[in-house]
């Protein structure tokens, strides 16, 4: 029904889009996406997109997140006006996930606003990974799919950790409790939760309580994202004070603002395992291990194009995607 599957990208994370194209065996579509000297963004699609099944790959993260959002919205508008058959906004990380409720007086729900903007600008569908809260799916009025990095993480840790009696999974933020529980169950490991309190809107937080036993020799700390690193650093300190010294940290979205990567890697952890939904700051510290989720995105895009199930990717034991560790 469409004239082909086409993939385009803005400037947020072109390597991710190139890897997706390689896995799909399609060329990356040509488009000019740049800023004029006055700061305004210009977009021109350099290929015929009429009736194509278009996927715009643009992660929303980093110090230039506002530019990346605007690039995506303007590209959506360009494809809509170019008569694309269907447009999917592929956002490996969706921004503003933490602004998902009115938890203080007179604050916005920016995640909802952003979801609205993506639909209004022209997206027919969205594709993303591990939203900060699953309910954010419902902020979109267009259909979409939320992937999870659960399987690559299980694959990576499985051989060394599954079923060990000296290891515990530690979830440093209660928002990740359910996914953390699923991870621990699949790894056949006990779990402990950290209750944290945010201190104002500064990004700072402190530990209020630890629920569960952390008296093990090894720990895997797992969260959806690391931003300033404060949440994870507090958890590392708490574990080390209690004699846990073999610690690995895992997260899906390594936002790693400022010097978070350097501080984390200097904290005595064995490694930081993450995915490539967000570009990792270079030069990359030797303790950072990156699991590529581009095979998962590529296969999902192929399935969306062919009208096949995405759910089966996570439930069918016959679907085996390569684990790429970088
Ligand atoms: C909850 O807010 C999230 O799951 C993460 O815990 C949070 O984004 C981490 O932020 P930071 O690294 O700045 O403490």
């Amino acid at each position: 029904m469409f004239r082909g599957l086409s993939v385009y990208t803005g400037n947020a994370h072109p390597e991710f889009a190139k890897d997706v194209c390689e896995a799909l065996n399609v060329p990356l579509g040509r488009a000019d996406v740049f800023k004029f000297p006055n700061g305004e963004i210009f977009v021109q699609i350099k290929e015929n997109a009429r009736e194509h099944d278009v996927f715009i790959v643009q992660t929303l993260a980093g110090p230039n997140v506002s530019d990346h959002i605007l690039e995506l919205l303007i590209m959506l508008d360009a494809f809509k006006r170019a008569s694309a058959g269907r447009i999917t906004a592929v956002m490996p990380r969706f921004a503003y996930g933490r602004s998902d409720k009115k938890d203080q007086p007179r604050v916005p729900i920016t995640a909802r606003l952003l979801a609205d903007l993506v639909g209004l600008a022209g997206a027919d569908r969205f594709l993303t990974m591990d939203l900060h809260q699953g309910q954010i799916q419902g902020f979109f009025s267009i259909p979409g799919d939320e992937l999870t990095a659960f399987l690559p993480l299980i694959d990576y840790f499985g051989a060394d950790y599954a079923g060990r009696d000296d290891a515990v999974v530690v979830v440093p933020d209660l928002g990740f409790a359910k996914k953390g529980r699923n991870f621990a169950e699949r790894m056949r490991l006990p779990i402990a939760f950290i209750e944290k309190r945010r201190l104002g809107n500064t990004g700072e937080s402190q530990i209020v309580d630890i629920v569960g036993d952390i008296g093990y020799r090894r720990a895997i700390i797992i969260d959806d994202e690391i931003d300033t690193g404060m949440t994870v650093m507090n958890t590392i300190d708490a574990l080390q004070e209690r004699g846990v010294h073999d610690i690995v940290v895992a997260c899906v979205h390594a936002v790693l603002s400022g010097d978070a990567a350097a501080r984390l890697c200097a904290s005595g952890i064995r490694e930081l395992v993450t995915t490539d939904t967000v570009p990792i700051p270079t030069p990359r510290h030797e303790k950072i291990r990156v699991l590529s989720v581009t095979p998962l995105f590529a296969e999902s895009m192929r399935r969306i194009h062919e009208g096949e199930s995405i759910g089966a990717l996570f439930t069918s034991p016959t679907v085996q995607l390569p684990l790429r560790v970088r």
Side-chain angles (χ1 to χ4, degrees):
M1 57 181 176
F2 299 112
R3 283 191 51 233
L5 183 163
S6 316
V7 183
Y8 292 82
T9 188
N11 293 305
H13 194 0
E15 296 72 26
F16 190 96
K18 282 178 199 147
D19 287 354
V20 164
C21 285
E22 199 176 299
L24 281 169
N25 201 19
V26 297
L28 182 61
R30 290 179 302 119
D32 284 343
V33 185
F34 64 84
K35 241 186 200 178
F36 285 122
N38 67 2
E40 293 176 2
I41 291 167
F42 176 79
V43 168
Q44 184 173 28
I45 314 305
K46 306 296 271 188
E47 318 205 13
N48 174 17
R50 216 171 269 273
E51 297 310 322
H52 277 246
D53 195 8
V54 169
F55 292 82
I56 306 173
V57 179
Q58 177 85 327
T59 205
L60 304 180
N64 298 323
V65 64
S66 302
D67 284 351
H68 299 154
I69 291 170
L70 208 50
E71 280 184 4
L72 173 63
L73 298 177
I74 296 172
M75 289 182 82
L76 285 165
D77 188 68
F79 278 107
K80 187 171 65 175
R81 293 173 196 283
S83 306
R86 177 173 66 179
I87 314 170
T88 302
V90 181
M91 302 166 285
R93 175 186 183 261
F94 182 67
Y96 288 99
R98 292 188 294 187
S99 178
D100 61 346
K101 58 184 132 359
K102 198 162 179 279
D103 55 359
Q104 300 174 51
R106 297 175 297 284
V107 294
I109 302 181
T110 316
R112 167 67 200 247
L113 172 66
L114 183 53
D116 278 345
L117 288 173
V118 168
L120 277 173
D124 298 298
R125 303 186 56 87
F126 69 92
L127 177 65
T128 189
M129 174 165 268
D130 288 306
L131 290 164
H132 180 58
Q133 291 292 338
Q135 293 88 322
I136 294 172
Q137 292 171 10
F139 290 2
F140 290 86
S141 48
I142 51 175
D145 297 284
E146 180 190 359
L147 308 177
T148 176
F150 193 71
L151 292 180
L153 286 167
I154 299 268
D155 273 4
Y156 182 78
F157 285 111
D160 290 337
Y161 284 86
R164 286 189 82 111
D165 57 9
D166 62 350
V168 61
V169 172
V170 181
V171 174
D173 183 277
L174 290 178
F176 197 71
K178 204 168 162 195
K179 284 187 172 171
R181 165 81 66 196
N182 291 340
F183 177 79
E185 276 176 10
R186 280 289 291 272
M187 296 289 293
R188 303 192 311 281
L189 292 176
I191 188 165
F193 302 95
I194 305 289
E195 188 188 345
K196 81 174 180 202
R197 179 190 293 135
R198 285 227 174 257
L199 305 174
N201 295 315
T202 57
E204 291 191 25
S205 61
Q206 69 186 24
I207 292 182
V208 181
D209 199 5
I210 300 173
V211 182
D213 184 6
I214 55 167
Y216 292 83
R217 211 158 70 82
R218 300 162 199 266
I220 303 176
I221 303 174
I222 185 161
D223 203 352
D224 60 337
E225 75 172 34
I226 300 175
D227 179 4
T228 63
M230 170 85 63
T231 302
V232 163
M233 288 297 293
N234 287 344
T235 305
I236 293 168
D237 288 347
L239 288 169
Q240 288 173 339
E241 276 165 22
R242 288 160 180 80
V244 188
H245 291 296
D246 189 336
I247 302 172
V248 296
V249 174
C251 73
V252 180
H253 309 296
V255 177
L256 299 174
S257 300
D259 62 352
R263 281 187 295 110
L264 262 176
C265 291
S267 68
I269 61 168
R270 192 140 59 81
E271 58 183 6
L272 166 59
V273 182
T274 186
T275 77
D276 52 358
T277 57
V278 175
I280 305 295
T282 50
R284 200 171 92 192
H285 195 283
E286 57 184 20
K287 284 189 181 175
I288 302 182
R289 218 64 74 237
V290 180
L291 315 183
S292 180
V293 289
T294 54
L296 187 52
F297 271 87
E299 176 62 13
S300 303
M301 288 157 65
R302 188 194 67 72
R303 283 169 182 250
I304 290 168
H305 181 64
E306 303 286 345
E308 293 176 19
S309 165
I310 302 270
L313 264 178
F314 298 95
T315 51
S316 164
T318 56
V319 181
Q320 194 64 49
L321 292 171
L323 177 68
R324 284 204 201 127
V325 185
R326 292 186 170 138

